[in-house]
Amino acid sequence: MKLFLDFFRQEVPKNTKNPLFYYRQSVRLADRMLAVYFIISLLLVFLTVKQFFWLPTLLLGLLLIKLFHSDQLSARVNLLLVTLLVCAWSCWYVVLFGWDFGGQHMLFVLIVLVFFCLYEPPTFKIIYFLLILTVRISLFQYTSAHEPLVPMDSFTQFLMQMVNTISSFLMLAGCCIVYSSNLQETARQLLLHNQQLQVQAETDPLTKLINRRGFMDVMTRYVSDNPEAMYCVAIADIDFFKRVNDTYGHNCGDYVLQQLSKLFTEQAKEGYFVSRWGGEEFCFLFPGMNIDDASRIMTDLLIAVRKMKIDYEDFHFSITITAGVEENDYRSPLADLLESADRKLYRGKANGRNQMVF
């Protein structure tokens, strides 16, 4: 029931003379395959019956005209024209030769065309479906009460049945291939786009490190998936970073952040995760490590930062960082551990900077 309710609630884009590519592609394919089917059927009828029929010839001519102008027509006009052509052809075929010749098979193609058209409202599609169903049932009732106008031998009946069945199945398969391949490509592109947006939303544009929001997701997911695991968190801050900006300019400050991020990323082979926490602060996650392991790595990072030379234009200087490290105590939530690491960081700042507190 929900499926049908969602179907009736769907929003429909405005009908346009420039429908989606895949719908134009399916209409063109249907027109071409119908034209080939009409020609083959007319030749088969002429060769077996030895009689010329003006109505199907007229329908073929109209179809060829539509084929060359379908791109200039709106989605609904295209649909209505092909519906009239197929219904007229099916009625002519069934009335003339009978139900067993399969002329009614083409009506199934119309159902596919209408339900894959995004420009028609649900009520139109249901009414359209019921009308096509009515045509098919009416043809069946007619053939049940009337003999064919042109009787055929069993071999000719077999040939016509094969032509109609194969043609209708090929058209159905062709339309479904067009729709499915294009919809899958659209879904693939949408998925890739969403993934790119997700990466952009969780990545700091300056340092290319994961940002605070994304890192919180990483840490929360790790803690949730490993409730009994040992881990540590750390928060580090660049010492006197305001002085760097005031002395050398904000562009130089951005360069410092980029170089420091590069260093942290290169050292991440030690098994930690790092993010830009905000401003000149960085946050670290040390999965599966106790306070001794995390402190050793942070000590190595402090030493590496001291040795790192900043060369920006004509400026040459060094920087230091201060960090606070906290270990999982299996009692405190992640937010409390981060707050504790932050307090240790500021304790290190108060005690002279360029140090780690754990």
Side-chain angles (χ1 to χ4, degrees):
M1 181 60 70
K2 183 179 182 300
L3 179 66
F4 289 102
L5 290 176
D6 291 341
F7 171 75
F8 280 105
R9 291 169 183 162
Q10 62 182 325
E11 294 185 16
V12 179
K14 184 179 180 181
N15 213 321
T16 174
K17 287 189 176 182
N18 296 298
L20 290 174
F21 169 74
Y22 76 85
Y23 188 75
R24 294 200 310 269
Q25 194 177 18
S26 66
V27 169
R28 284 197 295 265
L29 178 64
D31 287 345
R32 290 168 183 169
M33 296 185 76
L34 268 178
V36 173
Y37 162 68
F38 281 9
I39 293 171
I40 293 175
S41 297
L42 280 174
L43 287 175
L44 182 60
V45 169
F46 181 76
L47 291 175
T48 54
V49 181
K50 308 294 184 181
Q51 185 177 350
F52 176 80
F53 296 95
W54 65 268
L55 178 60
T57 306
L58 175 62
L59 294 177
L60 174 60
L62 293 174
L63 177 60
L64 292 176
I65 294 174
K66 176 188 178 301
L67 179 61
F68 289 106
H69 295 85
S70 61
D71 287 344
Q72 285 76 48
L73 303 174
S74 68
R76 174 169 290 187
V77 172
N78 264 306
L79 179 64
L80 292 178
L81 286 177
V82 76
T83 300
L84 291 174
L85 291 170
V86 170
C87 286
W89 177 277
S90 299
C91 291
W92 168 80
Y93 213 103
V94 172
V95 169
L96 212 64
F97 305 112
W99 184 263
D100 294 335
F101 284 75
Q104 69 281 2
H105 293 336
M106 283 298 162
L107 296 174
F108 290 121
V109 179
L110 300 177
I111 302 299
V112 173
L113 287 175
V114 72
F115 276 102
F116 276 104
C117 182
L118 297 179
Y119 302 99
E120 300 299 348
T123 51
F124 177 89
K125 293 179 179 180
I126 295 300
I127 293 172
Y128 182 95
F129 167 78
L130 293 176
L131 289 175
I132 298 301
L133 180 62
T134 301
V135 171
R136 183 176 170 82
I137 293 175
S138 299
L139 288 175
F140 180 76
Q141 291 296 328
Y142 175 85
T143 56
S144 299
H146 300 81
E147 292 295 325
L149 298 180
V150 180
M152 292 283 192
D153 58 72
S154 58
F155 179 71
T156 304
Q157 177 180 329
F158 171 78
L159 286 179
M160 290 187 170
Q161 177 67 246
M162 287 300 99
V163 169
N164 285 301
T165 301
I166 292 173
S167 298
S168 59
F169 271 63
L170 285 176
M171 286 189 65
L172 285 171
C175 290
C176 289
I177 288 172
V178 170
Y179 287 128
S180 62
S181 60
N182 281 276
L183 289 175
Q184 287 175 16
E185 176 63 17
T186 301
R188 188 181 72 84
Q189 293 293 341
L190 181 60
L191 180 60
L192 290 174
H193 181 65
N194 287 337
Q195 289 174 345
Q196 291 171 355
L197 290 178
Q198 181 70 19
V199 170
Q200 293 172 3
E202 295 182 351
T203 302
D204 176 59
L206 177 64
T207 63
K208 307 306 179 186
L209 294 177
I210 190 170
N211 61 21
R212 183 170 186 153
R213 170 188 171 185
F215 203 59
M216 280 300 300
D217 290 341
V218 171
M219 291 189 292
T220 302
R221 191 160 53 248
Y222 175 78
V223 173
S224 176
D225 294 342
N226 305 275
E228 303 300 324
M230 172 63 68
Y231 68 89
C232 291
V233 293
I235 298 179
D237 183 273
I238 303 175
D239 296 330
F240 302 110
F241 186 67
K242 185 177 183 301
R243 185 184 301 171
V244 173
N245 282 326
D246 293 342
T247 304
Y248 308 112
H250 288 279
N251 288 339
C252 182
D254 290 344
Y255 179 76
V256 170
L257 290 170
Q258 291 171 336
Q259 292 302 108
L260 193 57
S261 300
K262 183 179 178 182
L263 172 66
F264 289 156
T265 302
E266 291 172 350
Q267 297 295 323
K269 61 181 181 293
E270 296 284 349
Y272 64 79
F273 298 95
V274 60
S275 74
R276 185 181 180 188
W277 200 237
E280 65 270 27
E281 284 190 340
F282 297 84
C283 187
F284 298 79
L285 171 66
F286 301 92
M289 300 185 195
N290 58 27
I291 193 72
D292 294 331
D293 296 328
S295 298
R296 176 183 57 80
I297 294 175
M298 286 305 304
T299 299
D300 292 341
L301 286 177
L302 260 68
I303 295 173
V305 172
R306 291 185 203 130
K307 294 179 178 180
M308 183 176 67
K309 301 301 180 183
I310 304 296
D311 299 311
Y312 181 78
E313 296 181 349
D314 296 331
F315 305 126
H316 309 282
F317 58 94
S318 300
I319 60 171
T320 60
I321 60 173
T322 302
V325 184
E326 186 58 78
E327 182 182 68
N328 177 25
D329 59 7
Y330 298 100
R331 299 187 308 274
S332 305
L334 177 61
D336 289 351
L337 297 178
L338 291 169
E339 185 179 348
S340 177
D342 198 46
R343 286 197 300 268
K344 291 181 177 180
L345 162 66
Y346 280 95
R347 193 188 311 160
K349 292 277 191 182
N351 290 336
R353 296 180 171 82
N354 188 20
Q355 60 185 274
M356 177 194 59
V357 179
F358 61 95

